[in-house]
Each structure stands twice: as C-alpha cells, then as structure tokens.
Amino acid sequence: MRSVGVEEELLLADAETGEPRAVAGAVLAAADRAAAGPAEAAKDGKEPSHTFEAELQEEQVEFATKPVTEMGELHEEIVRWRAEAAKHAGTAGAVVAALGTSPLAVRPSISPGHRYDWVSRQFGMTAQEQLTCGCHVHVSVESDEEGVAVLDRIRPWLAVLTAMSANSPFWQGEDTLYGSYRSRVWNRLPAAGPVDVFGSADRYHAEVQAMVDSGVLRDKGMIWFDARLSATYPTVEVRVADVCLDASTPVLLAALVRGLVETAARSWKAGEPAPRISTGLLRLASWQAGRSGLDGPLLHPGSMRETAPAAAVEALYRHVKDALADAGDEEFVRAGIADLLERGNGARVQRSLLRSEGDLASVVRHCARRTTESGFPASGPVGLRG
C-alpha cells in the first residue's frame, strides 16, 4: 500500500476583524514551547520539534501530516494539526482559517530569512502579493524512474483536482469571479504550472538542473511544477489544490491522488505510453478549473473539450476506480464525491456565506470555526477506514 501525506497552509487572521495578521513567529514560538514541554523548555541546547513551519508570508503557517496508509488516520492527523494550529494562533489573538486567499484586503509581510529575502528581491511584486494557501499531497513511489513515469501520466487529471478544491473566490476584498484565484496568483511564478512529458528520470533531473543553472531560480526547492518529485521524500508531490475548508476534503483528494499515482504506475509497468496532451492545452484546462471551480464548465481530461464539472469528476473517478478498490477507498471516495458535488467546494461556501452574513469579516470568522471541525456530514464518514 502506498503511503500518503498532506501539507496544508493556513491563513492567520484577527479573531474579530478577520483581517490577516503577521503573527507566524508568535504561532511557531507557541508551538515550540508546547513541543518542548515545561521540563525540556528549561534545558539549553535542545531544539523542540513539531510539524509547523513558516511560509513565505508571516500571515500564514504550514503543517505536514506524517505518512500513513489509511485514510481514517490521515483525517485524524489533519483534524489534530488544524486544532493545534488554532490553539497556538489563539495565544497571539488570532485564528487559523483554511482559505486559499484572504477575503479581506491585505498587504502581506515577507517572513524573515535569507531565502525569503532572495525570493522577494527576485520576484518583486509577484512574491510580495503571494499570500496564498495550498494543499500538497505526497504519495510514495519506488524510484525516481517510477515517479517520473507517474508525473508524465497524471498531467491531464490535475485540473480536476484544482476544481474540486477551489476555495479562493475573493482577493483584496473583491469577488474575482474565479473559484480558485489562488491558482492564478500562484501561476505567476516562473516555474509553476503544467509541464511537458519528461520520458525518463534522467531527463527530469536534467531539466530541473538546467532551470536552476539559469539563475532565475535559487535552488531546486523553487521547482513549483503542478506535480514534481519531492526534493526531501521518496514521493510524488501534487501541488494543484487550494487548502480546503472542510477537513474531509483533503482526505478525499489524497485518496484520489494515491489512486492516480497507482493507476499511472500500473500503466507504465504495462508499457502503455503517456498521453501526449500538449502543455498549452493543460494550461487552458488549469485556467478553466481555476475560473469555474465546480460551478461552470471544465475541460474533459480525455478530450480537452468543455464538459460539465460532474462529468469531469466522474471521469477522474472511473480512471482510478480499480486502484481505489484495491486500496479499500472506493466507497469512501464515491460518497465523498457525491457529497462535494452536492454541497459545493469552499468557493461556493464562501460566496453563500457572504450572501447570508453580508460582510467578508463574518465569512472569515465562520470559516475559521469550520476549519477545526471534522468536515464530515452528520451521517459520518461513509466508507472511511481507520
């Protein structure tokens, strides 16, 4: 069974006004104290450890789950670390909200450190405006060769994940008319977005090295492809999703991504070629997914022609169905997709809240409360094991 892990970036906001707050340092310090414990905190030279990390802006914080094989355990991890993040944010008078962008206007603050200083100088306004929160899914692979074979074969399906996760309709206090405006802001960066078929691990690594050697990028950590080989773990890392409002949605995405990885690996081992869909068409599919979310047409992963969002999601499900069944995830994913299509993604929820509450501050406060809930309907997580 392939292991899977999730990284989530969370927005830090004022508990009353909903405005983003640059308190990541205070949140990380509180996490350090909690991890060290009273006795350890008094000892010199011992670094406390926890899963929280700084991100580009001081108005956000990131955590990573441990790698697991059961979706129930992954859900427990996400709920646990969201609650921990909320507790630590509370010490600074802030809340955490699983929102892809800030609904309210903000001038973000670049986090301290040489690397972030370099990013700020190199990318200018693109970096300075880059307050976006994503969800990254890691799935284990046996080798770089298998990993690149997977990357080559999952390309057409990634835009559907963007649409399902879309949770960033507002930017600087305005409705952008996009479901995932985060995806549009993120793709301003030079090494972000869809990429060509590589064909082998050697070609992948040669391309990455050439991009770093160009001088535009500082290091391999700035290879921000939609999906890439992790520089740290033996995994494929899929990076197209907004952070999702409900804690159940990243679990659904993780199950689908694991299904995509397994399906692609089987295809490669069977000698089947990777789909030769152009990167240009994939960019159109990515844009359409960011624009529509689940509330407008998407490009079908097979034909690259407009189709209803439910049809695109159904095509993804059918593509990975055998792998889901073998992992024991089929029932959970089927129920999760039905629920998501019915209630909508985070973008639909945010717009509905604005209509009912009347202001974006209320939207943020509501979403902060919802961030730390389990995210499953009252009937419970149908088919979820663990």
Side-chain angles (χ1 to χ4, degrees), residues 277-323:
I277 298 173
S278 73
T279 302
L281 277 173
L282 294 180
R283 289 189 179 280
L284 295 184
S286 175
W287 180 89
Q288 188 67 69
R291 177 67 170 85
S292 296
L294 292 175
D295 295 319
L298 300 176
L299 297 194
H300 192 285
S303 67
M304 287 290 135
R305 298 290 187 272
E306 278 196 358
T307 190
V313 175
E314 178 69 14
L316 170 59
Y317 169 76
R318 291 189 177 279
H319 178 68
V320 300
K321 185 176 179 181
D322 289 348

Side-chain angles (χ1 to χ4, degrees), residues 5 7 27 37 100 114 117 125 135 143 152 186 194 208 214 246-247 250 252 260 263 278 289 297 344 348 353 357 364:
E7 297 172 352
V27 172
H114 294 302
D117 286 345
M125 188 64 73
C135 171
S143 65
D152 288 349
W186 179 252
V208 168
S214 73
D246 293 323
L252 173 62
L260 278 171
T263 301
S278 73
R348 190 185 300 174
L353 284 169
E357 302 291 336
V364 175

Side-chain angles (χ1 to χ4, degrees), residues 71 103 170 228:
M71 291 299 121
F170 302 115
R228 67 183 185 184

Side-chain angles (χ1 to χ4, degrees), residues 122-145:
Q122 176 75 340
F123 302 129
M125 188 64 73
T126 296
Q128 292 156 25
E129 289 185 341
Q130 194 65 234
L131 179 55
T132 61
C133 296
C135 171
H136 306 157
V137 180
H138 289 257
V139 178
S140 63
V141 289
E142 295 177 0
S143 65
D144 283 3
E145 204 65 48

